[in-house]
Amino acid sequence: MTRTSYARVCVEIDTKCTYPDHATVVLDEQRTFKISFEYNWKPNKCSRCNIFGHNNQGCPKQKLERKNKAGDRVW
């Protein structure tokens, strides 16, 4: 087996948080070190709905509110 030059880590974040740029790992009481993160891809995030998958401009809630303000009836 050969040693790889990097490791992949799954980081679970809340939609209201920013993407962390590092994590501090504690091995024991005397040894700690900082691991820097590099993101290959970041999903679109809507701050209006607080969900991943679309941005603020493509928000379905915003489109529905625009229709309601324009006087269109929603059945």
Side-chain angles (χ1 to χ4, degrees):
M1 298 187 88
T2 61
R3 178 182 273 179
T4 60
S5 60
Y6 65 93
R8 291 186 181 259
V9 177
C10 180
V11 178
E12 187 173 319
I13 61 169
D14 189 74
T15 56
K16 297 177 183 175
C17 295
T18 58
Y19 292 95
D21 62 348
H22 72 278
T24 303
V25 178
V26 179
L27 294 177
D28 53 32
E29 293 177 6
Q30 299 172 355
R31 295 187 301 171
T32 63
F33 60 95
K34 186 169 128 176
I35 298 176
S36 298
F37 294 150
E38 181 181 310
Y39 296 94
N40 293 337
W41 172 76
K42 294 179 184 177
N44 288 329
K45 178 171 66 169
C46 180
S47 60
R48 187 176 188 88
C49 298
N50 290 323
I51 61 171
F52 290 106
H54 64 271
N55 56 15
N56 293 349
Q57 289 80 24
C59 181
K61 286 185 179 180
Q62 187 174 3
K63 289 178 184 176
L64 184 61
E65 288 174 3
R66 283 186 197 153
K67 276 187 173 182
N68 289 340
K69 284 182 182 178
D72 294 342
R73 293 185 179 201
V74 179
W75 298 92

